[in-house]
Amino acid sequence: MPAYEDLLKKYAKRKRDTVMDSVAAGLSYADNVAVDFGLLEESGLIDSLSIAAPFAVIAVTEQMKVILGKKTGRAGLGDAVQRIVKTGAAMGVGALAGLAGGPVAAIPASMGTRALLSRYKSKTLLGIRVQERTDRLRALNRQRQERVNVPEGRPMLPVGMAYLETV
């Protein structure tokens, strides 16, 4: 089982990915705000780039982690899929907010949705870890109780072995 400090380092690195993905998703709506304020001209190229940019950032960062040996290919693919799903959901909510409240509402809605999804995942995984550790402690306690019931004067036997009673 990893040490507490190792877990802290691991999850601190994940928070950087969350911030990066949230900013990339928020920036995908920034061009709409700029067009509405007249800072940019309307063009299909900017729309295409702004929609693809968050997914490109995710693909590049996960692939770099695999290339640098920080993750296996399977773990990188799984993490990329999870990040893409969260970003896609955030962009969908941002698009709905943009239709309802204008492009200015899309940025906080998109970033907030992604942050909420990350928080939900974190809480869910924490619950699973706590449940697994509780089950393991119960199993260890049962195992200890079995070993305590050894007849007086006899040595403890390995788990799974028991003394035979003779008549």
Side-chain angles (χ1 to χ4, degrees):
M1 183 174 357
Y4 181 71
E5 290 81 22
D6 296 335
L7 289 173
L8 283 177
K9 289 177 186 174
K10 179 180 178 182
Y11 290 115
K13 289 179 184 176
R14 286 188 181 174
K15 287 184 180 183
R16 281 187 235 137
D17 290 340
T18 300
V19 170
M20 185 186 334
D21 293 347
S22 297
V23 169
L27 288 176
S28 70
Y29 293 106
D31 69 324
N32 291 335
V33 173
V35 167
D36 285 350
F37 289 137
L39 301 174
L40 279 174
E41 292 183 26
E42 184 77 39
S43 75
L45 178 63
I46 291 176
D47 286 339
S48 300
L49 288 177
S50 68
I51 291 171
F55 302 109
V57 167
I58 291 169
V60 168
T61 56
E62 289 298 329
Q63 187 61 35
M64 285 303 298
K65 289 176 185 174
V66 171
I67 290 171
L68 295 174
K70 294 182 178 182
K71 289 184 180 183
T72 64
R74 185 177 207 162
L77 179 64
D79 289 348
V81 168
Q82 287 179 358
R83 288 173 64 188
I84 285 171
V85 167
K86 282 193 284 189
T87 301
M91 290 178 71
V93 168
L96 291 174
L99 291 174
V104 176
I107 295 171
S110 175
M111 295 175 80
T113 300
R114 192 162 197 315
L116 285 174
L117 289 174
S118 294
R119 185 177 174 110
Y120 174 75
K121 178 186 172 195
S122 177
K123 297 285 185 187
T124 303
L125 291 176
L126 176 65
I128 291 170
R129 278 195 308 274
V130 168
Q131 182 62 41
E132 287 176 353
R133 289 181 182 172
T134 303
D135 292 344
R136 177 68 179 142
L137 285 173
R138 285 188 183 128
L140 288 171
N141 194 23
R142 274 194 310 272
Q143 202 174 53
R144 187 180 60 80
Q145 290 297 329
E146 290 173 4
R147 294 181 84 183
V148 169
N149 298 329
V150 173
E152 188 71 30
R154 293 187 178 174
M156 284 189 168
L157 295 174
V159 176
M161 297 181 75
Y163 285 103
L164 296 175
E165 295 298 322
T166 58
V167 186

